[in-house]
Amino acid sequence: MSLPVLEARACAAAGQSGLMALYEAMFTQYSTCTAQVLVTNLDFHDDDKRQNLNSTLQELLRMNIVPIINTNDAVVPPPEPNSDLQGVISIKDNDSLAARLAVEMKADLLIALSDVEGLYDSPPGTDDAKFIDIFYPGDQQSIIYGTKSRVGLGGMEAKGGTSVVIANGTHPKVTGHVITDIVEGKKVGTFFSEIKPAGPTVEQQTEMARNTGRTLAALHPDQRSEIICHLADLLTERKEEILAANKMDMDLAANAGHLPPAMLNRLSLSPAKLNSLAIGLRQIAVAAQDSVGRVLRRTRVAHNLELEQITVPIGVLLVIFEARPDCLPQVSALAIASGNALLLKGGKEAANTNRVLHQLTQEALSMHGVTEAVQLVSTREEVEDLCRLDKMIDLIIPRGSSQLVRDIQRAAKGIPVLGHSEGICHVYVDADAAIDKVIKIVRDSKCDYPAACNAMETLLIHRDILRTPLFDQIIDMLRTERVKIHAGPRFASYLTFSPSEAKSLRIEYGDLECCMEVVDSMQEAVDHIHKYGSSHTDVIITENEDTAEQFLQQLDSACVFWNASSRFADGYRFGLGAEVGISTARIHARGPVGLEGLLTTKWVLRGDGHTAADFSEHGTMKYLHENLPVGQPLPGQRDSN
Amino acid sequence: MSLPVLEARACAAAGQSGLMALYEAMFTQYSTCTAQVLVTNLDFHDDDKRQNLNSTLQELLRMNIVPIINTNDAVVPPPEPNSDLQGVISIKDNDSLAARLAVEMKADLLIALSDVEGLYDSPPGTDDAKFIDIFYPGDQQSIIYGTKSRVGLGGMEAKGGTSVVIANGTHPKVTGHVITDIVEGKKVGTFFSEIKPAGPTVEQQTEMARNTGRTLAALHPDQRSEIICHLADLLTERKEEILAANKMDMDLAANAGHLPPAMLNRLSLSPAKLNSLAIGLRQIAVAAQDSVGRVLRRTRVAHNLELEQITVPIGVLLVIFEARPDCLPQVSALAIASGNALLLKGGKEAANTNRVLHQLTQEALSMHGVTEAVQLVSTREEVEDLCRLDKMIDLIIPRGSSQLVRDIQRAAKGIPVLGHSEGICHVYVDADAAIDKVIKIVRDSKCDYPAACNAMETLLIHRDILRTPLFDQIIDMLRTERVKIHAGPRFASYLTFSPSEAKSLRIEYGDLECCMEVVDSMQEAVDHIHKYGSSHTDVIITENEDTAEQFLQQLDSACVFWNASSRFADGYRFGLGAEVGISTARIHARGPVGLEGLLTTKWVLRGDGHTAADFSEHGTMKYLHENLPVGQPLPGQRDSN
């Protein structure tokens, strides 16, 4: 069946009225009037026509009427066949019309929506094609336009002060948002810019970090230790420089006046803080001696075929931290110790301090030629944009509030996130609890540092304790410590006059507040924690060993404690040395995470021409699978042999 | 400032014309005409009016005109104040009008779009609120309608054969798709159904699995072993039952005629297959003795304060597998051995076999009262719907093609996925390679099982080998084995007559095909693999130990081999016993994964009233952090002391 040949211009003219009706109806929803303007490219060659068009459009805009401008298809010459060939940019009428108009009207921004994401540096889909976020016309020679490029570039050189963005207008997930996203400055499509920024893009930074990271991983452990020790030295030797930068940040924050005192306190550095930071770094330098390349398992698979499982760095880490600048050298040292490349993104409040601390880190790294292994990402980069680099970043570690962690977990598409999202920790006071331990542990769990994720949020008490002297003592202690109590529904029902009822049994107060609830038994306490807890840290206080062991065994949390404060859930207190963070994830690392949380493993097999076929039914070889000594002890086992 | 009081009906009437213009313009885009119909609830009380309305609407539909029906606001009584109170369902005019019309017109489906997701069993946002996918009006008493419920339910009891779906029409990510999604039967919003299905929902299954899984995890390792051994017995004792079900599946597949022979082969079971399956299960039963509750680390934190890190199950696993029904008992045994709850989703081709195998698994589980720990999910459930259960499922393990794995990685929102996504494995033939080893290893890596993920896809050869007898021998061997060669760009440039050029250097052929490329050095081979490989398994063949060790050290893949076939990358061949799969992820588990890939850890701290304050500057205690013997040896270290 042959279709009738349609004349393109006639078709376009026929569609025009329906299109205008749609525009008008849509804009009516926003109480905005529209006007139809039809022009041709030829109109621009005539100065009078151009001026008329210009004043008409200006007048429409002045009246808050949105002009819908289109090619006057009926009067233009017939379109040429599509000349979209390799190496040739096709210039479509609409694109060049838009560009001419934008320049003529001195528009601030021209947004060209099509069905492609934007520009790539080679034909999309080929091995090396990379998307271009920001395009500088001066770079044009580096671009190869492929047969798949359907976006015209007529006049899109961002001339005359008009910026240009080419983006996909058909993507179902962004349609309706793409224009507002672009206007808000989000990274959507390709932005044509006249000004080339001095620094590298975040993609280039990530690539540099990954490449240099491989060299870092190949250094001798002693060399990684040396870098960390050198950084520790620089923190004290160059403290004036650091403190001067910190003062700038502090002054800016004070002038802006929006930071609460606790935040200012975390932002500020002092010679004492730098000293203790340096001491911490030297501890990490020691741990660095025995992290990468540790043999975890060694197996003789067959004669002359030996397998080793060894620790290796994860790859490229992205660490996002808030106002605390002391995070920067600490996290850098952890990454260096574990041979990982690192992208750092700090809060903008600490921008000056972070810049100096990062310079010192790179200075230390330069002693073994791995300067670029740690990169500081511009504070303008948004977390969502960094999370787009899912093929280049292997692990994200947020260090900060649980709100930050939750935001990042939501934004991280496919990139694993290591971090606690919530710490709804429970202390369960059993019927057989000793009074002195209850008072000590409950006080410490709630009051030692109420904002910590390992602080108690819910106090569960056995029913038998109600109306006993122990109960009164607990309440008295909490009152003395000014802890505000919220009653769980059962607890409230037992009291004549109860405190205000808890809005939910799943609240992380993070302050001198807690929920109190009554349970009938240890089993009910376990069920309550499974239902409302966050599997972070939960405590039982009892003198009954059987009850305690049942609780420790049954409860499915990262940390389960018997007669000890929840505040012990901490890498340093656990004796893990440097702490990466506390993870509530169920895979990779759980609970307080030491340096090994930044390591993965690789399998090394050394043979002598072995093939799988050698071991087949008719083959000549047999599997031995003999465990061999690993040579080096595992961490935590040094004294065990 | 007080706003003028607007009369609601006047406002509604004023908006009507704009709304209709929008509808008309939108439908015009699909070349569809619309008609405006205004009615009131009172029109339904008059039989004549009702019949007139009915025939008008039928006639419009017959003419392919879409009626847009609305309340004739101008003539209805003034609206009552919103009576949306706890326990009371508010009936909005539009909702009840839609319901009446749907029944009157005998509509197949009524879709009510609003700004809420659908129905919850308690007020949304409260501790226990659960979303209801399918609502049976008979269950109505179990629903608590809260103040936040803004969806009317007037007449929405799915009566008269009209099905009803309430869904969110404002969600940016689904707008434009929500109607087609509902019509395609996807799980969007709440579906009101008259028929209550016999089985539990997948949410209920997951909850049962999690709860029973906790009991399974608390069993003695011997008991978990017994269950697995019993299942192994059942596989041979009840083979007639299994094979009869399998014959049904085979017959159905043969009749449908759409399964390729390789697939049919994987679908079919035999007494021999069941026997070897039973043998494998007994091996897993042995491994189960030493998986859960193993002490990995023991530390004396302080006097009377002892810390243990022990292995525990991950929680709830979701395993998705394709046509192979033998996967079911194998995966079940792995989950039971590691104390994990399990949701199984098998291919629909094996539905009958899977049902019988699952019954036998539950029969084995029942011996220790944990029947519900392993659940078979209906084949109708879509993977995307299962991935919505992100708060209830801890790990997804796809077992099947890399396409399946990729699909699931895309669908899994926030749930970790354990599985290889691609195996683009390289063999690099160094200048110092021994000819016999090259021929043996290259043949085995490519030809032993070309569809495996650990088969060679790219052969890299050192430039010095070109035009040597070794080169000719490699080509001859590949020709004899009928391996189709695709030339990389450099390789092609060296040859007068080259094979067809490879479309990309990043292809997993999975067949008797491979890419061949030339490199200048071992270093260039490493760079090539980093750029184009998938970090699965890569091999160097050389007699030069220095070159080999450099390659093994520098290359960042899960498995790096020297003079051994890539086919050794396999849990059984590595001596890990039961294999969970091969992971190309960089965290948790990497490379071939044994039972320990299904375990996580928990920290158990036993104290005597210890608090963090005891260790403060003015406290009475000091951290010891003394490593203690772990009691049980770690796997792979049995013979090392």
Side-chain angles (χ1 to χ4, degrees), chain B residues 429-612:
Chain B
V429 181
D430 187 51
D432 301 325
I435 194 159
D436 56 325
K437 292 178 192 170
V438 172
I439 299 302
K440 269 189 76 179
I441 291 172
V442 172
R443 181 197 286 125
D444 198 69
S445 297
K446 180 72 259 184
C447 313
D448 182 52
Y449 186 21
C453 62
N454 58 13
M456 178 190 86
E457 303 298 353
T458 298
L459 177 61
L460 296 175
I461 53 175
H462 192 286
R463 195 183 43 177
D464 293 353
I465 292 174
L466 280 174
R467 301 188 188 86
T468 64
L470 170 56
F471 176 75
D472 295 334
Q473 270 189 268
I474 297 174
I475 301 294
D476 284 349
M477 181 275 290
L478 291 174
R479 282 215 179 116
T480 310
E481 299 284 348
R482 297 171 188 282
V483 176
K484 185 172 175 196
I485 299 170
H486 301 268
R490 272 198 70 189
F491 181 55
S493 74
Y494 279 110
L495 300 174
T496 324
F497 300 103
S498 105
S500 69
E501 222 176 293
K503 285 206 181 80
S504 157
L505 295 171
R506 223 176 252 143
I507 295 178
E508 186 176 17
Y509 295 98
D511 208 337
L512 281 174
E513 290 182 60
C514 74
C515 172
M516 232 172 134
E517 184 55 312
V518 175
V519 291
D520 281 344
S521 61
M522 181 275 292
Q523 191 56 56
E524 220 184 276
V526 167
D527 293 343
H528 178 107
I529 298 170
H530 280 159
K531 189 164 179 190
Y532 300 110
S534 67
S535 301
H536 190 293
T537 299
D538 300 289
V539 176
I540 183 172
I541 311 179
T542 186
E543 295 303 296
N544 185 323
E545 188 171 342
D546 284 349
T547 310
E549 289 301 330
Q550 279 292 318
F551 181 91
L552 297 178
Q553 201 279 325
Q554 284 186 38
L555 196 66
D556 178 31
S557 297
C559 304
V560 286
F561 296 174
W562 173 24
N563 287 350
S565 163
S566 60
R567 294 276 298 133
F568 283 107
D570 170 278
Y572 173 69
R573 289 172 184 162
F574 273 15
L576 303 180
E579 181 183 283
V580 174
I582 296 184
S583 167
T584 48
R586 302 186 71 90
I587 65 160
H588 187 60
R590 197 169 178 226
V593 182
L595 255 186
E596 65 261 56
L598 300 184
L599 296 171
T600 182
T601 61
K602 92 176 166 190
W603 300 88
V604 179
L605 183 70
R606 295 180 178 89
D608 190 36
H610 292 74
T611 63

Side-chain angles (χ1 to χ4, degrees), chain A residues 15-76:
Chain A
Q16 200 64 253
S17 58
L19 191 65
M20 277 312 298
L22 182 61
Y23 268 118
E24 196 175 327
M26 303 278 271
F27 273 104
T28 300
Q29 296 303 303
Y30 300 94
S31 302
T32 303
C33 291
T34 55
Q36 181 177 27
V37 178
L38 292 176
V39 294
T40 67
N41 261 324
L42 297 168
D43 295 339
F44 288 90
H45 297 310
D46 184 323
D47 273 351
D48 280 348
K49 282 190 181 167
R50 227 173 66 219
Q51 273 177 26
N52 291 339
L53 177 63
N54 196 327
S55 60
T56 306
L57 293 176
Q58 298 289 6
E59 183 62 17
L60 284 171
L61 290 173
R62 201 188 57 77
M63 297 192 291
N64 274 326
I65 294 172
V66 175
I68 312 289
I69 303 158
N70 222 319
T71 320
N72 194 355
D73 294 293
V75 300
V76 294

Side-chain angles (χ1 to χ4, degrees), chain B residues 149-160:
Chain B
S149 160
R150 302 236 302 280
V151 176
L153 277 171
M156 295 207 177
E157 295 85 11
K159 60 186 167 192

Side-chain angles (χ1 to χ4, degrees), chain B residues 111-163:
Chain B
I111 301 176
L113 297 178
S114 75
D115 59 351
V116 296
E117 303 301 321
L119 277 192
Y120 290 80
D121 64 352
S122 358
T126 57
D127 274 350
D128 302 302
K130 270 183 206 140
F131 187 76
I132 300 170
D133 281 317
I134 304 181
F135 175 68
Y136 312 102
D139 282 352
Q140 203 146 342
Q141 66 287 356
S142 69
I143 310 281
I144 307 154
Y145 298 99
T147 47
K148 284 175 194 163
S149 160
R150 302 236 302 280
V151 176
L153 277 171
M156 295 207 177
E157 295 85 11
K159 60 186 167 192
T162 297
S163 299

Side-chain angles (χ1 to χ4, degrees), chain A residues 209-229:
Chain A
R210 179 177 289 285
N211 291 335
T212 320
R214 288 189 169 128
T215 313
L216 175 70
L219 293 180
H220 192 275
D222 288 345
Q223 294 175 305
R224 284 189 292 267
S225 283
E226 276 169 34
I227 293 170
I228 300 167
C229 287

